[in-house]
């Protein structure tokens, strides 16, 4: 059930409602909007007493059931868009946020050069994997903590915020110490224990869509984050596995528009992994923004031909500058 409080209620009035929800046997989750506070009450409605009695409380505006399986991520629970502030960059606000950087952190020079180039072009968040989920165990697995330290140095030198992947529960504390946003990758999108551990770090989370994940499953995976007291979640569409082999994956623009409709949380698109080839990254970026994405995460490398992972889909600096220019200026705009 969703409980909407009246505007301008006091802390004391809010606390009284929370206490009553707990008394009725539910766990309250508070979402603070610009105008109103909305509380998601999670529990088995068949076995607990009826929350509708709260309708008689003077500080309560409305009590509504959420029919969908996902509750806290749903737009019913929280009609306005949620925005997430990461080191002063608002994700889910009016400005399109661009996250950019190499697939893998390969070394200090490679990372700093890329960080400087993407920052100069208009990116606000630096991406780079230190722990890499590779299909083959014989491929480059990432620099681990050394890579995290390089990301930290790049952040200090450029002011960019950092997003990096959390691969395993065992690394949660370490990665959360360095990252501004924890990326949960495609292969872990339904690793529920990892999602709970990531949520409990308190860091903002970017949840990629699994390779064969239905939209409802993806939103339910997000529900694991919000129901573990972390409202700073963004979804990331990165292409799904279909019959088509001409591209690495198939970017699901339906999902972009639908997730925007069904949830209040920011939606980011990763055109690099969807396409698998760099020439498609720009048009897919523009299409994604038109469909409702509020940000992009793009792979960029100083020398894509020699990248240790995902070189074919990585943009060089000139291509990234052009992408950032077109994103800033609107589709087709010239400088
Ligand atoms: C990545 O961002 O480099 C990555 C491995 O992404 P995904 O989980 O989408 O494959
Ligand atoms: Mn990659």
């Amino acid at each position: 059930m969703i409980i909407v409080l009246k505007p301008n209620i006091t802390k004391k009035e809010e606390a009284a409602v929370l206490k009553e929800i707990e008394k009725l046997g539910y766990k309250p989750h508070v979402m603070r909007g610009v105008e109103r506070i909305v509380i998601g009450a999670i529990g088995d409605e068949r076995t607990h007493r009826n929350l509708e009695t709260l309708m008689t409380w003077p500080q309560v505006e409305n009590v509504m059931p959420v029919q969908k399986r996902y509750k806290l991520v749903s737009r019913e629970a929280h009609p306005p868009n949620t925005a997430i502030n990461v080191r002063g960059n608002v994700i889910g606000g009016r400005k399109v946020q661009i996250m950019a950087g190499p697939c893998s952190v390969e070394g200090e020079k490679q990372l700093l050069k890329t960080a400087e180039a993407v920052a100069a072009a208009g990116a606000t968040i630096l991406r780079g994997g230190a722990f890499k989920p590779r299909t083959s165990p014989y491929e480059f697995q990432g620099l681990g903590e050394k890579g995290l330290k390089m990301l930290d140095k790049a952040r200090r030198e450029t002011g960019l915020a950092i997003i990096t992947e959390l691969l395993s529960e065992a690394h949660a504390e370490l990665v959360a110490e360095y990252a501004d946003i924890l990326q949960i990758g495609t292969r872990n999108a339904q690793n529920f224990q990892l999602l709970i551990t990531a949520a409990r770090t308190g860091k903002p989370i970017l949840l990629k869509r699994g390779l064969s994940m239905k939209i409802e499953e993806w939103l339910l995976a997000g529900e694991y984050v919000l129901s573990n007291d972390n409202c700073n979640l963004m979804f990331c569409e990165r292409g799904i596995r279909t019959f088509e082999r001409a591209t690495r994956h198939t970017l699901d623009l339906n999902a972009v528009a639908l997730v925007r409709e069904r949830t209040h949380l920011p939606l980011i698109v990763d055109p690099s992994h969807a396409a698998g080839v760099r020439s498609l990254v720009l048009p897919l970026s523009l299409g994604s923004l038109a469909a409702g994405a509020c940000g992009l995460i793009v792979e960029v490398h100083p020398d894509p031909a020699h990248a240790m992972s995902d070189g074919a889909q990585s943009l060089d600096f000139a291509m990234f500058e052009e992408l950032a220019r077109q994103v800033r200026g609107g589709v087709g705009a010239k400088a």
Side-chain angles (χ1 to χ4, degrees):
M1 293 285 259
I2 296 301
I3 295 105
V4 184
L5 301 186
K6 292 211 172 119
N8 307 319
I9 67 155
T10 65
K11 275 262 161 224
K12 211 170 147 193
E13 289 170 321
E14 177 191 332
V17 177
L18 294 176
K19 207 168 153 201
E20 179 67 10
I21 292 170
E22 281 177 347
K23 212 172 104 193
L24 289 169
Y26 294 82
K27 188 172 176 221
H29 295 272
V30 181
M31 290 178 274
R32 288 173 205 286
V34 182
E35 285 174 12
R36 276 181 177 69
I37 295 170
V38 173
I39 304 168
I42 303 296
D44 188 343
E45 282 157 28
R46 288 164 309 180
T47 55
H48 292 97
R49 274 195 280 159
N50 203 334
L51 282 164
E52 275 163 14
T53 52
L54 281 169
M55 271 306 273
T56 58
W57 286 47
Q59 60 267 54
V60 172
E61 186 169 284
N62 204 357
V63 178
M64 304 175 288
V66 179
Q67 307 293 354
K68 301 197 170 68
R69 288 177 77 199
Y70 49 90
K71 313 277 181 198
L72 299 171
V73 305
S74 74
R75 228 185 237 289
E76 284 158 275
H78 191 262
N81 288 337
T82 286
I84 302 173
N85 192 319
V86 179
R87 288 187 170 259
N89 306 300
V90 179
I91 301 168
R94 277 211 224 162
K95 183 180 167 195
V96 173
Q97 297 291 347
I98 309 180
M99 310 178 187
C103 177
S104 303
V105 177
E106 299 170 6
E108 201 170 290
K109 244 183 160 170
Q110 169 246 20
L111 187 68
L112 289 177
K113 233 173 129 181
T114 310
E116 279 160 17
V118 299
T124 48
I125 297 164
L126 176 66
R127 64 146 289 147
F131 293 94
K132 294 300 302 176
R134 303 307 301 280
T135 302
S136 161
Y138 308 119
E139 289 167 347
F140 178 56
Q141 304 287 308
L143 297 178
E145 187 169 4
K146 267 201 263 170
L148 295 174
K149 289 200 159 89
M150 291 171 195
L151 286 165
D152 180 45
K153 186 166 182 195
R155 170 171 49 205
R156 281 185 276 115
E157 294 201 357
T158 60
L160 292 169
I162 298 298
I163 177 167
T164 194
E165 180 160 353
L166 174 62
L167 255 191
S168 141
E169 282 177 69
H171 304 143
E173 214 177 304
L174 175 71
V175 177
E177 202 184 302
Y178 291 93
D180 297 304
I181 305 172
L182 298 176
Q183 174 177 325
I184 302 292
T186 297
R187 292 153 192 85
N188 268 320
Q190 282 182 301
N191 181 340
F192 303 122
Q193 212 48 53
L194 180 65
L195 288 168
I196 293 169
T197 306
R200 291 185 178 158
T201 66
K203 290 281 174 178
I205 292 172
L206 176 140
L207 173 59
K208 292 218 182 178
R209 182 177 180 189
L211 279 179
S212 302
M213 217 175 177
K214 290 182 193 164
I215 293 171
E216 187 185 57
E217 292 169 330
W218 188 22
L219 300 183
L220 281 166
E223 196 75 14
Y224 273 90
V225 175
L226 268 74
S227 64
N228 281 282
D229 299 320
N230 189 336
C231 290
N232 291 326
L233 173 69
M234 55 206 102
F235 289 103
C236 176
E237 162 62 35
R238 49 78 72 207
I240 52 173
R241 188 166 274 173
T242 67
F243 59 85
E244 183 56 68
R245 293 287 169 273
T247 52
R248 187 176 177 188
H249 297 104
T250 298
L251 181 65
D252 185 1
L253 282 186
N254 287 2
V256 176
L258 196 72
V259 168
R260 268 326 250 167
E261 195 176 285
R262 299 271 167 93
T263 91
H264 53 95
L265 296 159
L267 189 282
I268 307 293
V269 168
D270 173 348
S272 308
H273 289 88
V277 284
R278 68 180 68 89
S279 62
L280 302 184
V281 171
L282 172 58
L284 293 186
S285 297
L286 299 177
S288 301
L289 296 172
C294 61
L296 300 167
I297 180 163
V298 178
E299 289 187 336
V300 181
H301 195 282
D303 181 10
H306 295 99
M308 292 174 85
S309 58
D310 287 348
Q313 67 199 32
S314 298
L315 303 184
D316 61 23
F317 296 164
M319 287 182 91
F320 179 70
E321 270 169 37
E322 180 57 20
L323 180 144
R325 189 181 68 78
Q326 291 205 25
V327 166
R328 272 198 316 268
V331 178
K334 292 274 173 269

